[in-house]
Amino acid sequence: MAEKNYFIDGKIEPVFIGEQIAGHSKKHSIGAHAIFLGQVRADELDGKKVEAIEYSAYEEMANKAISKIREDAFAKWPLTCLHIYHSKGVVKVGEISLFVFVSAGHRTESMEAMQQIVEDLKHNVSIWKKEIMEDASANWVE
Amino acid sequence: MAEKNYFIDGKIEPVFIGEQIAGHSKKHSIGAHAIFLGQVRADELDGKKVEAIEYSAYEEMANKAISKIREDAFAKWPLTCLHIYHSKGVVKVGEISLFVFVSAGHRTESMEAMQQIVEDLKHNVSIWKKEIMEDASANWVE
Amino acid sequence: MHIKILFFGSIGALTGKNEMVLDGVSGTDDLKNHLFKTWPDLKNYTFRFAVNQELIEENRALKDGDVVAIMPPFAGG
Amino acid sequence: MHIKILFFGSIGALTGKNEMVLDGVSGTDDLKNHLFKTWPDLKNYTFRFAVNQELIEENRALKDGDVVAIMPPFAGG
């Protein structure tokens, strides 16, 4: 059975996010969207700035874990839709690497679910990130 | 002193939301965006469906209240940016009437701030809404 | 003495007007009685007063040029 | 008996490979000792095993065809 794929090669485009939002205008039971976006931050380390993050994953296991996170969220909150996209490969500073899009009838459940989902994505999914510094050296984030 | 205006005539366009996100790619201290969107829901009342909501406001007072909500949020959380847009006039079912856009270095503060801001916007701002039903009758939401 | 009265939301729909100017109301309690006399149905509405854009809880004396808003519960979002 | 070993994140950088096949490891404790012998620096790393994509906490016996992933702490987002 083919597992659903939540990974996008490289950055997630703001235009894509706008299109995803527009795509939900036909769902008339939705009253609230909660969206979380992870953006690559120019942290400083030993006087050097981060220029990009390279994401790698155990993709098959990660996709299963994300499907589980979705199932758990639908079981816990009355959600209408839940879409998750995560970058793999190189994403530069200022670009977006994570897009969590929760839609529900009402605001409370959309925001509560989003917080839980973002925490779960951070801790329970087999993804790793390597900061690529301005001098091309690398730093694994753990 | 001219108060900042947070109102947009009619619906908030998904393309505008995408543009606002893209506009933050130059801010390299941002690691997290939390976005809340209110979408007009086709609630049913006495067997009739909502077709649109007409928003009205005591605009001068509402703009001051929203500025206060922004100041309070910046005082409470280390936010990078905070943008709020609210519709006035008629917004149809499936269209977006509220756009709250919180950006911060880290995820926790962006999401905590967003929840508080959305609650404050619901309760502390002089905005009213009238549901326009499919038979053109009206229902004030209170 | 001129007091400007603003009506919002469902109350604007009840009174059929967005604003009016009143003379000779000494405070917000006095104004409330005046409004109840003109629109008896207003007694069935939940509302608050804002005087010069400040929400008030108790009676507030009014002076020339004050702006009083009659506001049903807020419903933003 | 063939066990497929997958290396991820910083551990892939340490071993210089993404995967390898091992013979004759009876379980994950045995595998750990084998890996420590080959890459002594691995002792300084925090990692967990997943056997056939299931995270394990204690020693797990391995059989032909099993896939074992050596995984540093996750860092999604």
PDB file of all heavy atoms in Angstrom, chain A residues 44-74:
ATOM      1  N   GLU A  44      22.728  32.365  14.742  1.00  0.00           N
ATOM      2  CA  GLU A  44      24.176  32.539  14.715  1.00  0.00           C
ATOM      3  C   GLU A  44      24.812  31.495  15.626  1.00  0.00           C
ATOM      4  O   GLU A  44      24.281  31.175  16.683  1.00  0.00           O
ATOM      5  CB  GLU A  44      24.543  33.942  15.190  1.00  0.00           C
ATOM      6  CG  GLU A  44      25.617  34.573  14.329  1.00  0.00           C
ATOM      7  CD  GLU A  44      25.765  36.059  14.631  1.00  0.00           C
ATOM      8  OE1 GLU A  44      24.888  36.840  14.202  1.00  0.00           O
ATOM      9  OE2 GLU A  44      26.747  36.416  15.287  1.00  0.00           O
ATOM     10  N   LEU A  45      25.934  30.965  15.194  1.00  0.00           N
ATOM     11  CA  LEU A  45      26.609  29.902  15.938  1.00  0.00           C
ATOM     12  C   LEU A  45      28.104  30.143  15.796  1.00  0.00           C
ATOM     13  O   LEU A  45      28.622  30.162  14.669  1.00  0.00           O
ATOM     14  CB  LEU A  45      26.228  28.546  15.330  1.00  0.00           C
ATOM     15  CG  LEU A  45      26.513  27.323  16.186  1.00  0.00           C
ATOM     16  CD1 LEU A  45      25.455  27.177  17.281  1.00  0.00           C
ATOM     17  CD2 LEU A  45      26.528  26.063  15.308  1.00  0.00           C
ATOM     18  N   ASP A  46      28.779  30.351  16.916  1.00  0.00           N
ATOM     19  CA  ASP A  46      30.226  30.619  16.898  1.00  0.00           C
ATOM     20  C   ASP A  46      30.553  31.745  15.915  1.00  0.00           C
ATOM     21  O   ASP A  46      31.529  31.653  15.150  1.00  0.00           O
ATOM     22  CB  ASP A  46      31.019  29.356  16.497  1.00  0.00           C
ATOM     23  CG  ASP A  46      30.725  28.186  17.428  1.00  0.00           C
ATOM     24  OD1 ASP A  46      30.431  28.443  18.617  1.00  0.00           O
ATOM     25  OD2 ASP A  46      30.785  27.031  16.966  1.00  0.00           O
ATOM     26  N   GLY A  47      29.710  32.787  15.916  1.00  0.00           N
ATOM     27  CA  GLY A  47      29.988  33.942  15.067  1.00  0.00           C
ATOM     28  C   GLY A  47      29.667  33.756  13.589  1.00  0.00           C
ATOM     29  O   GLY A  47      29.890  34.653  12.782  1.00  0.00           O
ATOM     30  N   LYS A  48      29.117  32.576  13.243  1.00  0.00           N
ATOM     31  CA  LYS A  48      28.748  32.331  11.844  1.00  0.00           C
ATOM     32  C   LYS A  48      27.236  32.235  11.717  1.00  0.00           C
ATOM     33  O   LYS A  48      26.567  31.711  12.599  1.00  0.00           O
ATOM     34  CB  LYS A  48      29.380  31.025  11.348  1.00  0.00           C
ATOM     35  CG  LYS A  48      30.895  31.065  11.273  1.00  0.00           C
ATOM     36  CD  LYS A  48      31.462  29.716  10.840  1.00  0.00           C
ATOM     37  CE  LYS A  48      31.327  28.662  11.925  1.00  0.00           C
ATOM     38  NZ  LYS A  48      32.074  27.409  11.617  1.00  0.00           N
ATOM     39  N   LYS A  49      26.723  32.734  10.598  1.00  0.00           N
ATOM     40  CA  LYS A  49      25.272  32.730  10.405  1.00  0.00           C
ATOM     41  C   LYS A  49      24.811  31.521   9.588  1.00  0.00           C
ATOM     42  O   LYS A  49      25.505  31.091   8.663  1.00  0.00           O
ATOM     43  CB  LYS A  49      24.843  34.011   9.681  1.00  0.00           C
ATOM     44  CG  LYS A  49      24.563  35.156  10.624  1.00  0.00           C
ATOM     45  CD  LYS A  49      23.739  36.228   9.948  1.00  0.00           C
ATOM     46  CE  LYS A  49      23.337  37.292  10.956  1.00  0.00           C
ATOM     47  NZ  LYS A  49      22.754  38.468  10.307  1.00  0.00           N
ATOM     48  N   VAL A  50      23.626  31.040   9.934  1.00  0.00           N
ATOM     49  CA  VAL A  50      22.997  29.975   9.151  1.00  0.00           C
ATOM     50  C   VAL A  50      22.549  30.551   7.810  1.00  0.00           C
ATOM     51  O   VAL A  50      21.944  31.619   7.761  1.00  0.00           O
ATOM     52  CB  VAL A  50      21.775  29.403   9.908  1.00  0.00           C
ATOM     53  CG1 VAL A  50      20.973  28.463   9.019  1.00  0.00           C
ATOM     54  CG2 VAL A  50      22.211  28.705  11.188  1.00  0.00           C
ATOM     55  N   GLU A  51      22.863  29.828   6.739  1.00  0.00           N
ATOM     56  CA  GLU A  51      22.421  30.265   5.403  1.00  0.00           C
ATOM     57  C   GLU A  51      21.288  29.415   4.856  1.00  0.00           C
ATOM     58  O   GLU A  51      20.546  29.850   3.983  1.00  0.00           O
ATOM     59  CB  GLU A  51      23.603  30.197   4.427  1.00  0.00           C
ATOM     60  CG  GLU A  51      24.525  31.387   4.552  1.00  0.00           C
ATOM     61  CD  GLU A  51      25.180  31.721   3.228  1.00  0.00           C
ATOM     62  OE1 GLU A  51      25.423  30.809   2.443  1.00  0.00           O
ATOM     63  OE2 GLU A  51      25.448  32.919   3.004  1.00  0.00           O
ATOM     64  N   ALA A  52      21.213  28.191   5.334  1.00  0.00           N
ATOM     65  CA  ALA A  52      20.176  27.275   4.851  1.00  0.00           C
ATOM     66  C   ALA A  52      20.078  26.095   5.804  1.00  0.00           C
ATOM     67  O   ALA A  52      20.968  25.891   6.635  1.00  0.00           O
ATOM     68  CB  ALA A  52      20.508  26.776   3.443  1.00  0.00           C
ATOM     69  N   ILE A  53      18.995  25.354   5.687  1.00  0.00           N
ATOM     70  CA  ILE A  53      18.882  24.081   6.397  1.00  0.00           C
ATOM     71  C   ILE A  53      18.655  22.990   5.364  1.00  0.00           C
ATOM     72  O   ILE A  53      17.871  23.178   4.415  1.00  0.00           O
ATOM     73  CB  ILE A  53      17.722  24.105   7.423  1.00  0.00           C
ATOM     74  CG1 ILE A  53      18.114  24.996   8.613  1.00  0.00           C
ATOM     75  CG2 ILE A  53      17.397  22.693   7.916  1.00  0.00           C
ATOM     76  CD1 ILE A  53      17.049  25.098   9.689  1.00  0.00           C
ATOM     77  N   GLU A  54      19.394  21.893   5.532  1.00  0.00           N
ATOM     78  CA  GLU A  54      19.155  20.735   4.666  1.00  0.00           C
ATOM     79  C   GLU A  54      18.386  19.692   5.477  1.00  0.00           C
ATOM     80  O   GLU A  54      18.877  19.195   6.488  1.00  0.00           O
ATOM     81  CB  GLU A  54      20.474  20.154   4.154  1.00  0.00           C
ATOM     82  CG  GLU A  54      20.238  19.020   3.175  1.00  0.00           C
ATOM     83  CD  GLU A  54      21.532  18.483   2.565  1.00  0.00           C
ATOM     84  OE1 GLU A  54      22.598  19.123   2.736  1.00  0.00           O
ATOM     85  OE2 GLU A  54      21.473  17.417   1.932  1.00  0.00           O
ATOM     86  N   TYR A  55      17.178  19.389   5.024  1.00  0.00           N
ATOM     87  CA  TYR A  55      16.338  18.404   5.709  1.00  0.00           C
ATOM     88  C   TYR A  55      16.519  17.034   5.075  1.00  0.00           C
ATOM     89  O   TYR A  55      16.537  16.898   3.844  1.00  0.00           O
ATOM     90  CB  TYR A  55      14.855  18.795   5.599  1.00  0.00           C
ATOM     91  CG  TYR A  55      14.507  20.022   6.392  1.00  0.00           C
ATOM     92  CD1 TYR A  55      14.527  21.289   5.804  1.00  0.00           C
ATOM     93  CD2 TYR A  55      14.167  19.936   7.733  1.00  0.00           C
ATOM     94  CE1 TYR A  55      14.222  22.422   6.533  1.00  0.00           C
ATOM     95  CE2 TYR A  55      13.854  21.071   8.471  1.00  0.00           C
ATOM     96  CZ  TYR A  55      13.884  22.300   7.868  1.00  0.00           C
ATOM     97  OH  TYR A  55      13.574  23.430   8.591  1.00  0.00           O
ATOM     98  N   SER A  56      16.675  16.017   5.927  1.00  0.00           N
ATOM     99  CA  SER A  56      16.660  14.643   5.446  1.00  0.00           C
ATOM    100  C   SER A  56      15.656  13.876   6.291  1.00  0.00           C
ATOM    101  O   SER A  56      15.284  14.316   7.376  1.00  0.00           O
ATOM    102  CB  SER A  56      18.053  14.022   5.535  1.00  0.00           C
ATOM    103  OG  SER A  56      18.549  14.113   6.858  1.00  0.00           O
ATOM    104  N   ALA A  57      15.215  12.742   5.798  1.00  0.00           N
ATOM    105  CA  ALA A  57      14.182  11.996   6.516  1.00  0.00           C
ATOM    106  C   ALA A  57      14.282  10.512   6.202  1.00  0.00           C
ATOM    107  O   ALA A  57      14.828  10.118   5.165  1.00  0.00           O
ATOM    108  CB  ALA A  57      12.791  12.503   6.111  1.00  0.00           C
ATOM    109  N   TYR A  58      13.798   9.717   7.117  1.00  0.00           N
ATOM    110  CA  TYR A  58      13.506   8.313   6.832  1.00  0.00           C
ATOM    111  C   TYR A  58      12.081   8.378   6.314  1.00  0.00           C
ATOM    112  O   TYR A  58      11.114   8.271   7.061  1.00  0.00           O
ATOM    113  CB  TYR A  58      13.605   7.515   8.134  1.00  0.00           C
ATOM    114  CG  TYR A  58      13.488   6.012   8.005  1.00  0.00           C
ATOM    115  CD1 TYR A  58      13.577   5.210   9.149  1.00  0.00           C
ATOM    116  CD2 TYR A  58      13.286   5.371   6.787  1.00  0.00           C
ATOM    117  CE1 TYR A  58      13.490   3.828   9.072  1.00  0.00           C
ATOM    118  CE2 TYR A  58      13.192   3.992   6.700  1.00  0.00           C
ATOM    119  CZ  TYR A  58      13.282   3.230   7.847  1.00  0.00           C
ATOM    120  OH  TYR A  58      13.182   1.857   7.777  1.00  0.00           O
ATOM    121  N   GLU A  59      11.949   8.614   5.027  1.00  0.00           N
ATOM    122  CA  GLU A  59      10.675   9.092   4.471  1.00  0.00           C
ATOM    123  C   GLU A  59       9.511   8.147   4.696  1.00  0.00           C
ATOM    124  O   GLU A  59       8.405   8.576   5.038  1.00  0.00           O
ATOM    125  CB  GLU A  59      10.820   9.371   2.977  1.00  0.00           C
ATOM    126  CG  GLU A  59      11.472  10.712   2.714  1.00  0.00           C
ATOM    127  CD  GLU A  59      11.373  11.118   1.252  1.00  0.00           C
ATOM    128  OE1 GLU A  59      10.265  11.117   0.696  1.00  0.00           O
ATOM    129  OE2 GLU A  59      12.438  11.422   0.671  1.00  0.00           O
ATOM    130  N   GLU A  60       9.760   6.859   4.488  1.00  0.00           N
ATOM    131  CA  GLU A  60       8.666   5.895   4.611  1.00  0.00           C
ATOM    132  C   GLU A  60       8.114   5.918   6.051  1.00  0.00           C
ATOM    133  O   GLU A  60       6.896   5.973   6.267  1.00  0.00           O
ATOM    134  CB  GLU A  60       9.210   4.510   4.280  1.00  0.00           C
ATOM    135  CG  GLU A  60       8.184   3.584   3.680  1.00  0.00           C
ATOM    136  CD  GLU A  60       8.800   2.205   3.415  1.00  0.00           C
ATOM    137  OE1 GLU A  60      10.028   2.129   3.143  1.00  0.00           O
ATOM    138  OE2 GLU A  60       8.052   1.207   3.514  1.00  0.00           O
ATOM    139  N   MET A  61       9.043   5.914   7.006  1.00  0.00           N
ATOM    140  CA  MET A  61       8.629   5.937   8.412  1.00  0.00           C
ATOM    141  C   MET A  61       8.009   7.285   8.785  1.00  0.00           C
ATOM    142  O   MET A  61       7.019   7.351   9.530  1.00  0.00           O
ATOM    143  CB  MET A  61       9.846   5.640   9.287  1.00  0.00           C
ATOM    144  CG  MET A  61       9.512   5.398  10.742  1.00  0.00           C
ATOM    145  SD  MET A  61      11.002   4.830  11.642  1.00  0.00           S
ATOM    146  CE  MET A  61      10.463   5.116  13.332  1.00  0.00           C
ATOM    147  N   ALA A  62       8.563   8.350   8.244  1.00  0.00           N
ATOM    148  CA  ALA A  62       8.056   9.701   8.531  1.00  0.00           C
ATOM    149  C   ALA A  62       6.640   9.877   7.984  1.00  0.00           C
ATOM    150  O   ALA A  62       5.759  10.425   8.663  1.00  0.00           O
ATOM    151  CB  ALA A  62       8.993  10.750   7.933  1.00  0.00           C
ATOM    152  N   ASN A  63       6.402   9.401   6.778  1.00  0.00           N
ATOM    153  CA  ASN A  63       5.057   9.524   6.204  1.00  0.00           C
ATOM    154  C   ASN A  63       4.031   8.770   7.041  1.00  0.00           C
ATOM    155  O   ASN A  63       2.916   9.251   7.253  1.00  0.00           O
ATOM    156  CB  ASN A  63       5.055   9.017   4.755  1.00  0.00           C
ATOM    157  CG  ASN A  63       5.604  10.057   3.786  1.00  0.00           C
ATOM    158  OD1 ASN A  63       5.361  11.250   3.929  1.00  0.00           O
ATOM    159  ND2 ASN A  63       6.366   9.616   2.787  1.00  0.00           N
ATOM    160  N   LYS A  64       4.432   7.586   7.523  1.00  0.00           N
ATOM    161  CA  LYS A  64       3.519   6.835   8.399  1.00  0.00           C
ATOM    162  C   LYS A  64       3.238   7.610   9.686  1.00  0.00           C
ATOM    163  O   LYS A  64       2.107   7.652  10.168  1.00  0.00           O
ATOM    164  CB  LYS A  64       4.119   5.468   8.754  1.00  0.00           C
ATOM    165  CG  LYS A  64       3.938   4.442   7.659  1.00  0.00           C
ATOM    166  CD  LYS A  64       4.504   3.099   8.092  1.00  0.00           C
ATOM    167  CE  LYS A  64       4.541   2.140   6.908  1.00  0.00           C
ATOM    168  NZ  LYS A  64       5.412   0.982   7.151  1.00  0.00           N
ATOM    169  N   ALA A  65       4.294   8.195  10.247  1.00  0.00           N
ATOM    170  CA  ALA A  65       4.129   8.942  11.506  1.00  0.00           C
ATOM    171  C   ALA A  65       3.219  10.154  11.303  1.00  0.00           C
ATOM    172  O   ALA A  65       2.386  10.472  12.163  1.00  0.00           O
ATOM    173  CB  ALA A  65       5.499   9.379  12.032  1.00  0.00           C
ATOM    174  N   ILE A  66       3.350  10.817  10.174  1.00  0.00           N
ATOM    175  CA  ILE A  66       2.501  11.991   9.916  1.00  0.00           C
ATOM    176  C   ILE A  66       1.052  11.549   9.694  1.00  0.00           C
ATOM    177  O   ILE A  66       0.111  12.193  10.183  1.00  0.00           O
ATOM    178  CB  ILE A  66       3.050  12.837   8.737  1.00  0.00           C
ATOM    179  CG1 ILE A  66       4.435  13.398   9.097  1.00  0.00           C
ATOM    180  CG2 ILE A  66       2.087  13.979   8.394  1.00  0.00           C
ATOM    181  CD1 ILE A  66       5.141  14.153   7.973  1.00  0.00           C
ATOM    182  N   SER A  67       0.858  10.440   9.005  1.00  0.00           N
ATOM    183  CA  SER A  67      -0.507   9.915   8.850  1.00  0.00           C
ATOM    184  C   SER A  67      -1.118   9.618  10.216  1.00  0.00           C
ATOM    185  O   SER A  67      -2.307   9.896  10.455  1.00  0.00           O
ATOM    186  CB  SER A  67      -0.501   8.640   8.000  1.00  0.00           C
ATOM    187  OG  SER A  67      -0.286   8.959   6.643  1.00  0.00           O
ATOM    188  N   LYS A  68      -0.307   9.079  11.113  1.00  0.00           N
ATOM    189  CA  LYS A  68      -0.775   8.788  12.484  1.00  0.00           C
ATOM    190  C   LYS A  68      -1.154  10.091  13.219  1.00  0.00           C
ATOM    191  O   LYS A  68      -2.187  10.146  13.902  1.00  0.00           O
ATOM    192  CB  LYS A  68       0.337   8.046  13.231  1.00  0.00           C
ATOM    193  CG  LYS A  68       0.091   7.757  14.699  1.00  0.00           C
ATOM    194  CD  LYS A  68      -0.893   6.623  14.899  1.00  0.00           C
ATOM    195  CE  LYS A  68      -0.859   6.059  16.322  1.00  0.00           C
ATOM    196  NZ  LYS A  68      -1.043   7.053  17.375  1.00  0.00           N
ATOM    197  N   ILE A  69      -0.343  11.110  13.061  1.00  0.00           N
ATOM    198  CA  ILE A  69      -0.632  12.406  13.694  1.00  0.00           C
ATOM    199  C   ILE A  69      -1.964  12.950  13.170  1.00  0.00           C
ATOM    200  O   ILE A  69      -2.795  13.460  13.938  1.00  0.00           O
ATOM    201  CB  ILE A  69       0.522  13.410  13.425  1.00  0.00           C
ATOM    202  CG1 ILE A  69       1.766  12.990  14.229  1.00  0.00           C
ATOM    203  CG2 ILE A  69       0.108  14.838  13.769  1.00  0.00           C
ATOM    204  CD1 ILE A  69       3.036  13.752  13.841  1.00  0.00           C
ATOM    205  N   ARG A  70      -2.198  12.810  11.872  1.00  0.00           N
ATOM    206  CA  ARG A  70      -3.471  13.267  11.292  1.00  0.00           C
ATOM    207  C   ARG A  70      -4.652  12.486  11.868  1.00  0.00           C
ATOM    208  O   ARG A  70      -5.663  13.056  12.275  1.00  0.00           O
ATOM    209  CB  ARG A  70      -3.476  13.120   9.763  1.00  0.00           C
ATOM    210  CG  ARG A  70      -2.537  14.089   9.043  1.00  0.00           C
ATOM    211  CD  ARG A  70      -2.713  13.988   7.527  1.00  0.00           C
ATOM    212  NE  ARG A  70      -3.945  14.638   7.088  1.00  0.00           N
ATOM    213  CZ  ARG A  70      -4.957  14.038   6.509  1.00  0.00           C
ATOM    214  NH1 ARG A  70      -4.930  12.737   6.290  1.00  0.00           N
ATOM    215  NH2 ARG A  70      -6.016  14.718   6.146  1.00  0.00           N
ATOM    216  N   GLU A  71      -4.504  11.165  11.910  1.00  0.00           N
ATOM    217  CA  GLU A  71      -5.583  10.330  12.453  1.00  0.00           C
ATOM    218  C   GLU A  71      -5.897  10.703  13.899  1.00  0.00           C
ATOM    219  O   GLU A  71      -7.059  10.815  14.282  1.00  0.00           O
ATOM    220  CB  GLU A  71      -5.196   8.847  12.401  1.00  0.00           C
ATOM    221  CG  GLU A  71      -5.320   8.233  11.020  1.00  0.00           C
ATOM    222  CD  GLU A  71      -4.532   6.923  10.924  1.00  0.00           C
ATOM    223  OE1 GLU A  71      -4.368   6.256  11.969  1.00  0.00           O
ATOM    224  OE2 GLU A  71      -4.066   6.609   9.812  1.00  0.00           O
ATOM    225  N   ASP A  72      -4.847  10.853  14.697  1.00  0.00           N
ATOM    226  CA  ASP A  72      -5.041  11.206  16.105  1.00  0.00           C
ATOM    227  C   ASP A  72      -5.763  12.548  16.235  1.00  0.00           C
ATOM    228  O   ASP A  72      -6.627  12.718  17.105  1.00  0.00           O
ATOM    229  CB  ASP A  72      -3.685  11.284  16.830  1.00  0.00           C
ATOM    230  CG  ASP A  72      -3.058   9.909  17.011  1.00  0.00           C
ATOM    231  OD1 ASP A  72      -3.741   8.898  16.750  1.00  0.00           O
ATOM    232  OD2 ASP A  72      -1.877   9.838  17.410  1.00  0.00           O
ATOM    233  N   ALA A  73      -5.404  13.501  15.382  1.00  0.00           N
ATOM    234  CA  ALA A  73      -6.033  14.831  15.457  1.00  0.00           C
ATOM    235  C   ALA A  73      -7.514  14.746  15.078  1.00  0.00           C
ATOM    236  O   ALA A  73      -8.370  15.334  15.750  1.00  0.00           O
ATOM    237  CB  ALA A  73      -5.292  15.816  14.552  1.00  0.00           C
ATOM    238  N   PHE A  74      -7.818  14.001  14.015  1.00  0.00           N
ATOM    239  CA  PHE A  74      -9.225  13.855  13.610  1.00  0.00           C
ATOM    240  C   PHE A  74     -10.039  13.134  14.687  1.00  0.00           C
ATOM    241  O   PHE A  74     -11.232  13.388  14.858  1.00  0.00           O
ATOM    242  CB  PHE A  74      -9.335  13.099  12.280  1.00  0.00           C
ATOM    243  CG  PHE A  74      -9.187  13.982  11.069  1.00  0.00           C
ATOM    244  CD1 PHE A  74      -8.054  13.922  10.268  1.00  0.00           C
ATOM    245  CD2 PHE A  74     -10.189  14.891  10.726  1.00  0.00           C
ATOM    246  CE1 PHE A  74      -7.914  14.733   9.156  1.00  0.00           C
ATOM    247  CE2 PHE A  74     -10.063  15.709   9.609  1.00  0.00           C
ATOM    248  CZ  PHE A  74      -8.918  15.630   8.821  1.00  0.00           C
TER     249      PHE A  74
END
